[in-house]
Amino acid sequence: MTRLAVDWTRCDGHGLCARLLSESITLDEWGFPILTDAPVDEDAARTAVSVCPALALRIEHPARTA
Amino acid sequence: MTVTDPGTLPALFPATPPLLTLGEPRLLAAAPPAVPSRDRAWLVHAATDVRLLGRGGAAFPVARKLASVPLGARVLVNASEGEPASFKDRALMRHSPDLVVAGIRLVAAALGSGRPAVVAVEDEPSAQALAQAAGRAGAELDVRLTRHGFVGGEIGALVNGMEGRAPRPDGRRVLPTERGLAGRPTFASNVETFAQLALLSALGPAGYAAVGPAHEPGTSLTTVLGATPVNGVVEVPHGTALRDLVGHDDGPVLVGGYHGTWAVPTGARVSRVELRERAIGWGAGVLAVLPADTCPVAEVARVTDWLAEASARQCGPCVFGLRAVADDVQALAQARPVDLERLQARVGMVRGRGACHHPTGATGFVASALTVFAEDVARHRAGHHCGRADLGVLPTTHTTGGVR
Ligand code: SF4
Ligand code: SF4
C-alpha cells in the first residue's frame, strides 16, 4: 500500500504530480494537489516523488499517532 | 460565584478581566498550596487516575505525554496565548504565578530535566510575575518573551522562533517529545497544565477528584465574553452546565475560540470529553455569545479575515483558500451575492491541507458559523442586510499589549 503525502510548506502548485497521476491526484482551484485516500501504484508514486520540482511529495508510511 | 480582585497594571497592558470562580477556587485560590515533589511514576499514575487532559487546544492526555519522554527531557511551557479571545493563561500567570512555578518545578524535577524549563510568553506582566515567583521559590526559570502571534504559538513554530529560525510550523511535523528545544526530547504543554499538575501533587488524586464528574474531575479556566451574565476569566468545575456560565444553551454559543465551534449546545456541560462527543472542541476554553444588536455575519466575517491574515503564509491551500473563504464571508456580511455552495466547497477544500492545524481550525469556525447563523446568512445572501452594525464583540486586535 502506497500513499502520497505533500509537504505543504514546500509545494508551490506546479501541478506536475496531477498530470502524472491523474487518476489519484487532482488540483484545487488554486492549483494545489488534492490527494485521494486511495492507495496509489508504487511505481507511479515514486515517479511523482522524483519529478516534483519542489521536493514536496513523499511516500507516507503508516502514520504514528501521539 | 467568588470574585477575585485582579489588581491593577500599568496602562500599557490590557487589564486582567474580572476573575471569577464557581465553587471553591483552586487555580485562582488566594494562596497556593504546598506542592510536594513527586517522581515521574507518581505523576504518570496520578494524571492517569484523574484523566488529566492538556490545557492547550489539543487536550492530549498528560500522563501519556509524561510517560513518552525520556528522563532528562527538556520542559517547555507554552504561555503564548495567541488566541485574541482568550485571557485565561495571562489571568493565571498574573494572579497565581507561584502555583504555575510550582507546577513547572514539579515537572522539571520529576523528569530530571538538566536545564531550566523554558517559558514562552508574550505578555510582559505575566513574564514578570513568573520571574518574581521563581525568585521567591529559588527556582531557575528561563522566561522568554516571544512575539509570534496566533500560528507562531504552535509548539513547533515556538521552538523554531526561539532558536532563531522563522517562527513557523515545520513542513513535516515532528513531535516535541522526540525533538523539541535544542533538538532534545521535550515535554511541552500549555501553562495551565503545569498549574493543574501542581494541584494534583498538592491534593493527591482523590482530593483532586473531589470536584467534577468521575470521568473528568477537576476544574478548568475559561474566558467568557459577549452577552453573558458575567464576563471574565472563570474557574469552573467540570460538569457545570454551559447554561450556567453563558446564560443560555438554546442559542448560538462559540465554544473553544477561533479554532472552535459555533453550536447550539443544548444540555451541554463543561467537559472536554463530552463536548468532543458532540464534535465540539473545548480548544482554548473560550465561550462567547453575541448580543442581539450586533450583526453575527459581520462579526464572523471580521474574525475570518483575521484568521486568513494569521496564516503563516507557507502552505498554498491555507494561504489562498482561507483568503478566498474570508472574502466570500466578507461579501456575505455586506449583503453582496455569494455562491454559497462554492463557499461551502472551499471551506471543505481547505480543511486539513496545511502543515499545522490552522486551516482545519479556521474552517471549522467558519463552517459551524454558516450552519448556526444559517438564517442570517440566507437573508444577507438574498441582499437583505440586517441593518445591524458590527459591534466588535469578538476581539480581533491582539490583546497581548506592549508595543509591537
Ligand atoms: S508537483 Fe510538487 S510542487 Fe507541484 S503541485 Fe505537485 S506536489 Fe506541489
Ligand atoms: S497551514 Fe497555514 S498557518 Fe499552518 S504553517 Fe501552513 S500556511 Fe502557516
Side-chain angles (χ1 to χ4, degrees):
Chain A
M1 288 269 184
T2 302
R3 283 199 168 80
L4 280 171
V6 190
D7 179 340
W8 291 113
T9 66
R10 288 173 177 253
C11 168
D12 32 50
H14 289 100
L16 268 179
C17 53
R19 245 184 286 161
L20 223 87
L21 285 178
S22 51
E23 331 82 69
S24 44
I25 301 181
T26 52
L27 297 178
D28 66 19
E29 61 175 299
W30 307 286
F32 293 93
I34 303 167
L35 308 185
T36 57
D37 275 343
V40 293
D41 173 69
E42 177 98 32
D43 287 344
R46 276 185 207 293
T47 316
V49 168
S50 65
V51 94
C52 168
L55 304 177
L57 284 173
R58 63 177 186 268
I59 289 176
E60 187 83 312
H61 301 290
R64 273 174 311 169
T65 47
Chain B
M1 206 176 283
T2 323
V3 182
T4 313
D5 177 9
T8 46
L9 280 169
L12 197 56
F13 301 98
T16 311
L19 304 179
L20 306 136
T21 315
L22 279 173
E24 192 77 10
R26 286 184 167 187
L27 294 164
L28 299 180
V35 177
S37 51
R38 309 284 189 178
D39 62 19
R40 193 238 300 254
W42 190 96
L43 279 184
V44 169
H45 280 123
T48 306
D49 275 357
V50 303
R51 301 169 190 231
L52 186 62
L53 300 174
R55 299 314 167 95
F60 189 78
V62 174
R64 264 166 65 194
K65 202 185 269 183
L66 277 171
S68 69
V69 287
L71 287 175
R74 302 287 310 266
V75 173
L76 172 59
V77 183
N78 189 353
S80 53
E81 193 157 60
E83 165 85 45
S86 177
F87 215 102
K88 62 120 179 152
D89 291 338
R90 280 168 286 174
L92 176 67
M93 290 183 281
R94 290 176 181 188
H95 184 263
S96 308
D98 298 290
L99 183 70
V100 170
V101 167
I104 299 170
R105 288 184 85 185
L106 171 74
V107 174
L111 293 177
S113 214
R115 305 280 308 279
V118 172
V119 186
V121 54
E122 295 211 1
D123 180 49
E124 276 183 53
S126 299
Q128 280 160 13
L130 291 183
Q132 283 160 8
R136 281 192 291 277
E140 251 197 286
L141 208 58
D142 186 353
V143 180
R144 301 202 199 160
L145 280 171
T146 57
R147 286 279 184 275
H148 301 151
F150 192 48
V151 168
E154 192 254 5
I155 290 287
L158 211 52
V159 170
N160 284 336
M162 286 190 300
E163 295 184 349
R165 298 181 290 272
R168 294 193 296 223
D170 289 320
R172 295 190 68 163
R173 196 161 157 260
V174 182
L175 294 174
T177 48
E178 287 171 16
R179 191 148 46 81
L181 287 169
R184 306 275 310 144
T186 300
F187 177 87
S189 194
N190 169 269
V191 61
E192 188 192 330
T193 308
F194 291 88
Q196 294 288 353
L197 284 165
L199 289 174
L200 181 56
S201 171
L203 302 170
Y208 186 95
V211 161
H215 67 77
E216 200 179 339
T219 64
S220 277
L221 286 179
T222 170
T223 311
V224 181
L225 66 137
T228 51
V230 294
N231 272 190
V233 172
V234 188
E235 180 176 8
V236 59
H238 297 159
T240 303
L242 280 197
R243 172 181 351 104
D244 293 342
L245 267 174
V246 302
H248 75 220
D249 61 9
D250 54 358
V253 178
L254 174 64
V255 183
Y258 297 163
H259 277 173
T261 314
W262 287 96
V264 177
T266 315
R269 308 195 301 166
V270 174
S271 159
R272 288 169 175 78
V273 174
E274 290 175 27
L275 286 167
R276 197 182 282 158
E277 282 163 10
R278 296 174 181 241
I280 299 172
W282 181 253
V286 169
L287 295 170
V289 173
L290 293 179
D293 55 352
T294 190
C295 172
V297 186
E299 294 265 358
V300 166
R302 185 168 41 75
V303 172
T304 309
D305 184 72
W306 184 88
L307 286 164
E309 290 301 306
S311 147
R313 321 219 146 270
Q314 303 197 88
C315 314
C318 177
V319 177
F320 298 103
L322 282 186
R323 185 73 261 154
V325 167
D327 289 348
D328 279 352
V329 182
Q330 191 58 53
L332 266 181
Q334 294 164 352
R336 286 189 272 128
V338 166
D339 182 342
L340 207 54
E341 268 175 37
R342 188 188 63 178
L343 168 56
Q344 254 137 8
R346 284 175 165 173
V347 165
M349 185 59 72
V350 173
R351 199 188 148 73
R353 293 171 72 222
C356 76
H357 180 67
H358 188 56
T360 302
T363 52
F365 174 90
V366 177
S368 60
L370 293 175
T371 306
V372 158
F373 297 113
E375 277 179 36
D376 300 275
V377 167
R379 246 176 281 137
H380 274 251
R381 187 176 164 232
H384 306 300
H385 192 284
C386 60
R388 290 171 292 181
D390 172 4
L391 297 184
V393 175
L394 302 175
T396 39
T397 44
H398 211 275
T399 51
T400 299
V403 185
R404 283 188 170 250

